[in-house]
Each structure stands twice: as C-alpha cells, then as structure tokens.
C-alpha cells in the first residue's frame, strides 16, 4: 500500500513516515500543497494524509482540486484545531475522515486501515491467494503447500499487487509507479529485477503459478 503524506511540519511528517513504514506501508512526503496536489493527481496512492494549513495551497484547496479531477483516493485530513467549521468544510469538499492533532498513532493506523479496505474478503483473513499460493499479509511470507518463503518488502508489494489484480495484466509503468513512486529515479529495469526475484521464489516453492511476460505490455499471474 502506498501512502502520500502532505504535511509541512517536517518532524511530524517524518514521525508519520516512520510509523507507517513500520506497518509496511510505502510512504512519500510532500511538504507543501502544490507538490502534494501534483503527487496525489498521479493516482498511484491508496490513501492521502492531508494537513489543512499548508504553504502554497491549503489542504481544502488540494482536496477540492483532487475531487474536481475525479480522483477518488481516500483522504484523511489532519488539523491542529478541532474547530467545527474546519470539519464541516473538510467533509464538504470530499474528505473521508478528519483527525485532530495531536492524535494517537493507533487511531491514525485504524483510520488508514478503515479507509483503505477494499474487498470484504480482506477483512476476514489476512491472506491473499492465487492458485496454490498464499500471501500472508502479517508474516510477509509467500507459501505453497508446506513450503514457505519470506519476501523482501518490494517483492511483497509486487506480489500483493499481482494477487489483488488477479489475471489482469500489470504494465511495467504501473508497477514502477506503484512500487517506486512518482518521482523516484527507478527504471524499468528495477521491475525486471524484482520479477526475476519473485520467479526464483516461485520455483523454490514449486508452485504451479507463473509470472507470465506479455511482450511489450507487462506481466500477469498465470496458473
Ligand atoms: Ca501545517
């Protein structure tokens, strides 16, 4: 899961990043509203954590423009004050939830989980499956029958994407954006490298699932 934090207080942004990375989220930070809006418009985020008081463009304007651009990404707004007018304005312009600073890390994590739930099946079990494979979202392991292997974070994120998009083809560009982010210097080559890591692990597990290369298009899972 990829999270965008738009927060101008550098220390708070860093604390949030550390907290979320410990929970295995991939995190990007924008320190002002304009940059935050640019990043959020890329459409690669699963959730945006958006401060209200921001330089260049305030949080409400960022949110309004996001919604005007038909971006439905969940937005969790943060504000220093619990003023009712702020809350109402935030909800009016399309915020999904409002959290008042200071907040408990637990509360923030619970909000993020609630806002990023996609399929009912994900709530019941913490595993994704495809063919004979099971991806354990807590233990960060991929298993097949009795065999199991631990994945690095990027391998895990990539496998999670494949399993969430069963049998649809993921393009290299999509994988690159989702896994390395909008502004990173990663190249197509990175995707190939991690695909090959995952293929080695599938071989080791003796799974019947393969990552198929669709020439000039991308990759998909296949049994
Ligand atoms: Ca601020």
């Amino acid at each position: 899961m990829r999270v965008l934090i738009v927060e101008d207080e550098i220390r708070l942004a860093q604390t949030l990043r550390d907290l979320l990375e410990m929970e295995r989220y991939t995190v990007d930070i924008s320190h002002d509203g304009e940059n935050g809006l640019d990043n959020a418009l890329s459409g690669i985020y699963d959730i945006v954590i958006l401060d209200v008081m921001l330089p260049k463009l305030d949080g409400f304007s960022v949110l309004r423009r996001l919604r005007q651009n038909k971006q439905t990404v969940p937005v969790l707004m943060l504000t220093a004050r619990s003023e009712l007018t702020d809350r109402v304005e935030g909800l009016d312009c399309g915020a999904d939830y409002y959290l008042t600073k200071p907040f408990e890390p637990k509360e923030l994590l619970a909000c993020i989980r609630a806002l990023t739930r996609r399929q009912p099946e994900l709530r019941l079990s913490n595993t994704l499956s495809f063919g004979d494979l099971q991806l354990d979202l807590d233990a960060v392991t991929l298993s097949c029958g009795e065999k199991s292997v631990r994945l690095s974070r990027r391998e895990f994120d990539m496998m999670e994407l494949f399993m969430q998009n069963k049998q649809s083809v993921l393009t290299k560009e999509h994988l690159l954006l989702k896994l390395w982010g909008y502004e990173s210097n990663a190249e197509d080559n990175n995707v190939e490298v991690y695909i090959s890591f995952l293929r080695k692990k599938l071989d080791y597990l003796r799974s019947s699932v393969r990552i198929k290369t669709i020439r000039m298009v991308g990759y998909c899972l296949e049994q």
Side-chain angles (χ1 to χ4, degrees):
M1 288 249 194
R2 195 162 198 105
V3 182
L4 176 64
I5 297 172
V6 189
E7 169 62 72
D8 59 317
E9 288 169 53
I10 298 194
R11 249 211 194 140
L12 176 60
Q14 193 55 51
T15 306
L16 290 176
R17 182 209 287 266
D18 292 347
L19 175 71
L20 292 174
E21 284 185 347
M22 265 164 49
E23 299 289 318
R24 295 199 334 264
Y25 292 98
T26 306
V27 179
D28 293 324
I29 296 179
S30 297
H31 290 302
D32 66 67
E34 274 177 10
N35 182 261
L37 178 64
D38 277 353
N39 279 343
L41 284 173
S42 70
I44 62 169
Y45 296 98
D46 298 294
I47 184 166
V48 177
I49 299 176
L50 181 60
D51 187 28
V52 172
M53 302 296 283
L54 287 167
K56 296 191 183 169
L57 196 62
D58 69 81
F60 294 131
S61 307
V62 171
L63 181 57
R64 218 170 279 123
R65 292 196 202 173
L66 259 184
R67 295 306 183 225
Q68 280 164 1
N69 280 278
K70 310 273 183 268
Q71 291 284 336
T72 56
V73 59
V75 173
L76 170 58
M77 294 211 80
L78 303 180
T79 183
R81 292 159 297 148
S82 55
E83 288 178 6
L84 189 65
T85 50
D86 275 5
R87 273 175 194 265
V88 171
E89 187 171 0
L91 294 170
D92 275 354
C93 54
D96 296 283
Y97 200 81
Y98 221 98
L99 211 52
T100 309
K101 297 178 194 171
F103 45 81
E104 291 292 321
K106 266 188 185 167
E107 192 184 4
L108 177 80
L109 293 173
C111 283
I112 293 175
R113 278 196 300 272
L115 293 174
T116 55
R117 269 175 202 149
R118 280 164 296 197
Q119 302 150 20
E121 60 172 14
L122 288 181
R123 286 182 227 183
L124 297 174
S125 78
N126 247 346
T127 57
L128 290 171
S129 49
F130 182 85
D132 54 14
L133 284 180
Q134 298 238 302
L135 183 67
D136 187 317
L137 305 182
D138 291 325
V140 201
T141 53
L142 185 66
S143 39
C144 172
E146 299 292 296
K147 284 188 133 180
S148 147
V149 66
R150 211 178 150 76
L151 301 183
S152 73
R153 201 173 95 197
R154 280 223 222 274
E155 291 168 349
F156 174 85
D157 289 344
M158 189 178 260
M159 203 59 199
E160 189 184 26
L161 274 179
F162 277 123
M163 286 194 166
Q164 283 168 344
N165 299 281
K166 291 171 194 179
Q167 281 165 323
S168 51
V169 177
L170 299 180
T171 63
K172 242 184 216 182
E173 293 71 27
H174 182 78
L175 288 166
L176 198 62
L177 275 178
K178 275 292 218 184
L179 300 174
W180 280 273
Y182 195 48
E183 294 187 296
S184 87
N185 297 317
E187 293 166 12
D188 286 13
N189 189 21
N190 293 37
V191 173
E192 285 162 27
V193 168
Y194 278 86
I195 291 280
S196 80
F197 288 164
L198 279 179
R199 281 179 171 149
K200 286 198 181 98
K201 295 200 168 169
L202 293 177
D203 281 348
Y204 166 80
L205 291 170
R206 298 181 187 281
S207 168
S208 63
V209 174
R210 293 276 168 270
I211 299 173
K212 190 177 171 190
T213 305
I214 317 283
R215 242 174 78 80
M216 314 296 282
V217 184
Y219 304 92
C220 70
L221 288 186
E222 180 187 66
Q223 283 193 71

